[in-house]
Amino acid sequence: MEVILYIAALLAVIAFIVLVVYVVITLKATKETLNNVSNTMQGLEKQIQGVTTETTQLLNKTNRLADDINHKSAKLDGLFEGASGIGDTVKDFNQTLRQLSNTVSRYSKEDQEKAAQAVKWGASILEYWNKRKRK
């Protein structure tokens, strides 16, 4: 009976050793997997740092570009205001020319009648003069 007890104890020890071996194999595989995950996370962290740096630079360039566009847009506002002033000046000039043209036209009509009368009087005087010369 003692032999059976030793055999049972030996089987228990062998089972325990097999269990420990499988646990050790599992722990080594888990350790290797965790090392791979750690390496992947370190690489990912470096890539994220690079992306963050590039994003920050891009954001700074975008802000400078926006400031430059705002500055140039403000300069163009003055140009458009000047062009608007030129347009108003041309409009006023056209209105003044129109008034001058109307005034000249009106006076020319009045003077035309006077000139026609003067020509008639001049023709009458010449005719009278010529008649008197002939006589």
Side-chain angles (χ1 to χ4, degrees):
M1 189 133 283
E2 253 182 68
V3 175
I4 293 179
L5 192 58
Y6 286 122
I7 293 176
L10 182 66
L11 281 176
V13 169
I14 291 173
F16 185 72
I17 290 174
V18 169
L19 179 65
V20 168
V21 168
Y22 279 113
V23 168
V24 168
I25 291 171
T26 304
L27 287 176
K28 282 185 179 182
T30 303
K31 180 181 176 185
E32 188 176 324
T33 303
L34 287 177
N35 284 337
N36 289 338
V37 169
S38 175
N39 291 338
T40 302
M41 292 300 287
Q42 287 175 356
L44 185 61
E45 185 178 335
K46 289 178 184 177
Q47 288 177 356
I48 288 176
Q49 285 176 353
V51 169
T52 302
T53 303
E54 289 179 16
T55 303
T56 303
Q57 290 173 352
L58 181 61
L59 184 61
N60 289 335
K61 287 179 183 178
T62 303
N63 287 338
R64 284 193 305 267
L65 182 62
D67 290 341
D68 187 42
I69 287 173
N70 286 336
H71 181 69
K72 289 178 180 176
S73 176
K75 286 183 178 180
L76 284 176
D77 287 343
L79 177 68
F80 288 130
E81 288 174 7
S84 175
I86 289 172
D88 292 341
T89 302
V90 168
K91 181 181 173 185
D92 292 343
F93 181 69
N94 283 341
Q95 186 177 3
T96 303
L97 281 178
R98 202 172 295 120
Q99 289 173 350
L100 179 64
S101 173
N102 289 338
T103 303
V104 167
S105 176
R106 187 173 17 131
Y107 283 128
S108 70
K109 285 181 183 176
E110 290 175 6
D111 289 342
Q112 186 179 12
E113 292 174 9
K114 290 179 182 178
Q117 281 184 343
V119 168
K120 284 181 185 178
W121 278 101
S124 297
I125 292 174
L126 278 176
E127 192 177 317
Y128 175 73
W129 184 267
N130 285 335
K131 282 184 185 180
R132 196 167 169 181
K133 237 183 177 182
R134 283 188 226 149
K135 284 190 183 180

